[in-house]
Amino acid sequence: MDGLSFPARLHLTLIRIRLTIESEDGVNAGGCCVVHLDCHKGAWRPKDSEEYGLILRSKQSVLTDVPDLAGRFDRFGGRYVPETLMAALDELAVEYDRARQDSTFQSTLSELLSDYVGRPSPLYFAERLTKHCGGAEIWLKREDTNHTGSHKINNTLGQALLTIRMGKRRVIAETGAGQHGVATATACARFGLDCVVYMGEEDIRRQAPNVFSMKLLGAEVRPVGTGSRTLRDAINEAMRDWMASVQTSHYILGSVVGPHPFPRIVRDFQSVIGRETIQQCQAKFGRLPDSLVACVGGGSNAAGMFYPFIDHADVALIGVEAGGRGDAPGDHASPLAFGQPGVLHGSYSYVMQDEDGQTCQVHSVSAGLDYPGVGPEHSYWKETGRVTYTTCRDQEALAAFDTLARCEGILPALESAHAIAQAMILASKRPKNHRIVVCLSGRGDKDAAEVARLREDPGV
Amino acid sequence: MSVIDTVFGQLRQQKRSAFMPFITAGDPDLDFTADVLHALAGQSADLIEIGIPYSDPIADGPVIQASYTRAFDRGIRVRDIFRMLEQVTQDITIPVVTMVSYAIVLRHGPREYVEAAQAAGVAGAIVPDLPVDEAEGLATLCHETDFSLIQLVAPTTPRDRALRIAKMSRGFLYYVSVTGITGERTALPPELADNVAWLRDHVLLPICIGFGIRGPETVRQLASAADGLIVGSAFVRRIAEAATRPRHEVLEEVKQFAAELVGALKLS
């Protein structure tokens, strides 16, 4: 099937395809059709030959043409929020669509990304780490070199520009590790917007350096003492603020989670990571990498890294969830591995829930991955089999943190250390001509004190 | 024709607005919730909303959030709530509806949830995180079984959308008084009455106002503006005392507060 490969684990039997049909006079006409697939000798094929012909001629992949207008990634996504927020979500979707097609918006954003953030972020060959693992080449996509020290700034600048376009002057954000909080505070300082960041008390404790930064940047940090006092509760509190301030405030959500259109907007703004990686791989070694590895909490750095590669079926995509202390409920933060589809924070996706639908407690050594849900597009990629998801334990991530520091002189964020750990395992099993790119989503300065504390008290 | 329709039919004949208290199930335990339900039914409540505790309620203010936390402290389960309601609804005649997150409905399975609720004598549901755009499946299911899926309109809802929501709603239409979360307010928006009046001119379904109503004074002001008034946090705040004070005292205070609200509703 030319130009389109269907993963073997595709669960769907009905697929909607957007078609670009070129008529004789060269005019493009769009359209949709439903194609019935069935399994034929282990391969998915359309049921009748006419449909097969349609697929052969179709130009756009079914896997990347998401979400639909209702915010659906097949069955995942949607908008499960109070009516009060619906008008604002509609407004945001419309404004984002306009901005996407506005060349001034796009050029303003790319100028900021180059001159303010310092993009493109380097693609770096980790030579000593590669030798240490003794197999495939490990390359690092250095999002840690961005201004503010993580990939989060890619999204916050884009959304700050949207805030201004919508005529709003106040911004709300949630933060776990503090990376998104710092990136939001930074974007708000840059554009003179008021900024309130909600952060769980537990995360304020373990990510203290970022709290100072946010305050220095002029943001108000509001501690959240309800529930588990982590990222999930910070999102609840930010949403409650937005319920009351929706007419004058924009909520800059930091991950590919939440109600439509957030998962799409954040993915699109983060996709600069994957787009640059494609160009840099071509320039450095003349082809695409064999595997990509990224950590997944809500999943924004992974979504940004993977999305431009979705249609390149030869590139293996591996997402790494937080395996925490173990596989028992409450000991990890791996909804794709251990959860089931359900509703949390406005979207339908994999989530850690009990049998009543109440959100479960989760655990990760990394504040940024310590979240019971995951972006709906990741659920979609899991079910279509396009991305493989795995988990990495606290101790493995901490060991990878040490190894990267010693081998390469780079302190990774504890979030990113999960991806490094998985890449090291993968590299040791793959031949020397295999190339792995890891999304090094953030730098680890913020974690230095917490890592030191955990050394003293390894009981995590 | 559901039991809720019957209640509002009677109220219209009597030219009265409905008094609709909201309380949290299992705060501080289900025995006390049952006592409060009996007491409120005895104080001329026309309909009672039961909040099913949810771990991540984004539409609720601190008072109702804290009541959910107290209920969870005792390990509250949905099946235990329904078991309690099954008993209580045999004794009281007014309709009981659940305020429940879609996360809970979906995890149980929409059909299973509605069946269990109906078996417990529950007349309908308010699902605050299921906007009309996502509600079609559940609405169809509820309509088939005469279970009222009550939809919400907010101050931020455009008028054409409000009419679409009203069309899908059953039992009554829940008008959220303020742009914000649940909780008592000293003042409600000045345009509230006009907005509700416009909707009443265009919608046959009864319209009830909720969020922010703190006491008799607000009730007097709004009584003629709507077909019913929902009072939540003001009750939940009083019931919270039961965790630390003699229950009969708290129950008396709840009854007295209900009587004041009913009095205010009649006076207007």
Side-chain angles (χ1 to χ4, degrees), chain A residues 72 78-84 86-87 232 236 239-240 243-244 246 340 343 348 353-359, chain B residues 53-58 60 65 72 77-78 103-104 107-108 128-129 131 133-134 154 156-157 161 165 179-180:
Chain A
R72 291 280 171 185
R79 295 195 288 188
Y80 298 94
V81 292
E83 174 61 21
T84 304
M86 291 301 283
R232 159 192 159 205
N236 287 340
M239 290 242 189
R240 287 180 194 125
M243 286 281 290
V246 65
Q340 67 286 306
V343 164
Y348 178 69
Q353 279 182 342
D354 70 10
E355 55 193 50
D356 261 354
Q358 312 290 357
T359 312
Chain B
Y54 176 50
S55 54
D56 298 81
I58 55 176
D60 282 308
Q65 276 181 60
F72 283 127
R77 302 303 305 259
V78 173
I104 296 171
R107 187 75 170 109
H108 283 253
D129 49 3
D133 320 67
E134 305 282 359
T156 51
T157 309
R161 182 177 164 86
I165 294 171
T179 304

Side-chain angles (χ1 to χ4, degrees), chain A residues 234-248:
Chain A
I235 295 180
N236 287 340
E237 223 40 60
M239 290 242 189
R240 287 180 194 125
D241 181 318
W242 205 32
M243 286 281 290
S245 62
V246 65
Q247 283 139 326
T248 53

Side-chain angles (χ1 to χ4, degrees), chain B residues 107-150:
Chain B
R107 187 75 170 109
H108 283 253
R111 189 171 293 278
E112 289 76 7
Y113 182 87
V114 171
E115 277 171 9
Q118 285 192 311
V122 172
I126 302 165
V127 188
D129 49 3
L130 189 69
V132 65
D133 320 67
E134 305 282 359
E136 207 174 308
L138 185 62
T140 308
L141 180 76
C142 291
H143 195 52
E144 282 168 11
T145 52
D146 233 358
F147 187 74
S148 301
L149 182 64
I150 296 144

